[in-house]
Amino acid sequence: MQYNPGWNGSSVNLLHVRAAGPGDSLHYVWSSIGAPAVLLVATQSPSSALRVNWTQLLSPSPAGAVWIDPPDSVVYSSAVVFTKLFEFGEAKPLGELFYPTYDLSEFSWDSLNHTLNHTALTAELSGVPATDPGGSFSNGSLAFRVTAYEAGGRDGRLPSLLHTADSSQLEFILAGVAPRGNSSHFVLEVATVEEAGAVRRLRSERSIDDEYTPTIFEVLSLVAESQNGSSTLGFLQWKATAYGSRSPRREDGIQCRAQGLQEANWTLPVSSIIQAYFGESLGSTCTVSALNVSFGGEEGQVYQEKRYLSWSVLLGFGQPPRDTFSPLVISITAVALGTPLAMLLLGSCLVLLAQRRRYSEYEPIN
């Protein structure tokens, strides 16, 4: 993990996470220069490196300021941008009342270097609006907590996402922010950028197994696929829940919904790291899609009471991890289904044996 590689200042944030394999390497580049975003690049070289022209990156025309060396080693690149936070409440009989939007490209962000933990491979990007007339953020903040992994496993805190060494986890946190209504709901707008030849699709999978995330039976994945559908290139994956506590429990769950993936027909908010890497292709050959993730439902009062919201999402390359039944669940299922079956077979044998004994004492009349 590198903070602002090649730059001595801390007035801007750029975090480079690199995972090296025997024949390839993966790059995650997180930044709050403009709208907070992450650039994901997979290469077929174990020694590929990130290069940054800081003078150009911080200029009004950053195109070409970020690249991977050697350039011909790149096999896939994508980006995710967190653009806006909406807040709305129920206003009868009008339906929904939307408050002024929080544009994340206009936030003021703290130095990420203060939270960088090279041992735990974590960092936290925290910010507040540059102007806050209503004072909603006077005692609160919006944050993105990044976690990288050296091996496969499962996160210890709910929603206990399954991860691989090729993935990173992002936790979106809204803490202490005063809602502007009595029943406010929040919606996070997420945009993705794909180069020509790849498209994003939203998948929903349901399972009867909620062992690791109690009462949650749905997993959503926003996958990048080649246009012919022959391979999955990258993904965002999350469970259909958020939580209203720093130490989440089942009862702290907040309903989480994904509201339709659409091709964005608007201009992508300024994010220098994305413009710096994709350059002119951002407005021509690249595909920009947008997805709204909403938090709150019938239990929407959870944030109102606790002033805390956290949503975890996994980002990575290739196929998203798939949960399977653990040996414990398999054993319990086998016992639950096997015991009645064994009793049925045993009872049938006893009935047949009893019938044979009863009629064996008599001789047939005819």
Side-chain angles (χ1 to χ4, degrees):
M1 300 179 76
Q2 296 175 294
Y3 175 70
N4 288 352
W7 179 260
N8 295 325
S10 59
S11 58
V12 295
N13 290 305
L14 189 149
L15 176 66
H16 176 220
V17 181
R18 179 176 176 270
D24 56 8
S25 57
L26 308 175
H27 300 265
Y28 293 85
V29 186
W30 304 86
S31 174
S32 64
I33 305 175
V38 56
L39 173 68
L40 300 92
V41 184
T43 74
Q44 56 186 2
S45 168
S47 58
S48 61
L50 175 72
R51 305 298 184 197
V52 181
N53 182 331
W54 281 97
T55 303
Q56 187 176 354
L57 178 61
L58 300 178
S59 72
S61 302
V66 173
W67 70 97
I68 298 295
D69 191 25
D72 58 0
S73 67
V74 176
V75 292
Y76 171 67
S77 56
S78 176
V80 180
V81 189
F82 302 93
T83 53
K84 297 176 182 178
L85 181 69
F86 301 99
E87 181 183 351
F88 68 93
E90 297 179 0
K92 298 178 181 179
L94 301 177
E96 295 176 349
L97 171 65
F98 277 85
Y99 299 98
T101 302
Y102 293 117
D103 189 337
L104 302 190
S105 66
E106 297 177 356
F107 270 46
S108 174
W109 301 95
D110 295 338
S111 174
L112 186 148
N113 195 36
H114 300 320
T115 63
L116 188 58
N117 188 324
H118 289 276
T119 303
L121 299 180
T122 60
E124 184 171 314
L125 183 65
S126 178
V128 297
T131 58
D132 185 21
S136 295
F137 279 78
S138 57
N139 295 313
S141 65
L142 182 152
F144 294 96
R145 183 179 298 153
V146 178
T147 304
Y149 299 106
E150 291 183 314
R154 187 181 297 278
D155 193 64
R157 299 169 68 249
L158 289 176
S160 305
L161 294 177
L162 181 67
H163 61 259
T164 67
D166 295 344
S167 59
S168 293
Q169 180 172 292
L170 177 72
E171 187 178 0
F172 166 71
I173 301 169
L174 200 63
V177 177
R180 291 174 285 184
N182 294 328
S183 57
S184 285
H185 295 63
F186 292 95
V187 178
L188 179 65
E189 184 180 72
V190 183
T192 63
V193 180
E194 294 293 334
E195 289 186 313
V199 293
R200 285 276 178 177
R201 290 186 173 89
L202 181 63
R203 297 177 182 171
S204 173
E205 294 185 8
R206 293 183 178 271
S207 170
I208 62 172
D209 183 18
D210 69 339
E211 177 184 5
Y212 300 105
T213 312
T215 73
I216 304 302
F217 302 94
E218 183 181 15
V219 178
L220 295 107
S221 301
L222 185 58
V223 298
E225 298 177 341
S226 55
Q227 287 188 333
N228 58 13
S230 61
S231 61
T232 300
L233 306 171
F235 66 87
L236 278 76
Q237 184 185 64
W238 66 95
K239 294 193 176 183
T241 185
Y243 290 96
S245 172
R246 296 180 187 275
S247 302
R249 300 168 297 172
R250 179 183 64 82
E251 54 267 32
D252 298 319
I254 298 175
Q255 192 175 59
C256 172
R257 290 192 180 101
Q259 301 174 357
L261 178 68
Q262 296 182 349
E263 186 169 333
N265 56 3
W266 35 260
T267 303
L268 189 70
V270 176
S271 178
S272 293
I273 195 72
I274 307 303
Q275 295 174 332
Y277 182 81
F278 290 101
E280 298 300 326
S281 64
L282 188 60
S284 55
T285 59
C286 288
T287 301
V288 180
S289 303
L291 175 78
N292 284 344
V293 181
S294 64
F295 310 102
E298 295 79 4
E299 71 291 351
Q301 297 298 322
V302 174
Y303 182 81
Q304 195 80 18
E305 297 170 1
K306 300 187 177 181
R307 300 284 177 92
Y308 190 87
L309 167 68
S310 69
W311 172 63
S312 299
V313 57
L314 195 72
L315 303 92
F317 299 87
Q319 289 280 359
R322 298 192 67 176
D323 263 322
T324 57
F325 290 105
S326 70
L328 176 63
V329 171
I330 294 174
S331 301
I332 293 174
T333 305
V335 171
L337 297 178
T339 301
L341 182 61
M343 293 178 66
L344 179 63
L345 292 175
L346 180 61
S348 300
C349 292
L350 292 175
V351 170
L352 291 174
L353 185 59
Q355 287 179 339
R356 290 188 61 186
R357 285 182 176 178
R358 185 190 309 169
Y359 293 110
S360 63
E361 298 173 358
Y362 299 93
E363 293 292 333
I365 296 175
N366 296 325

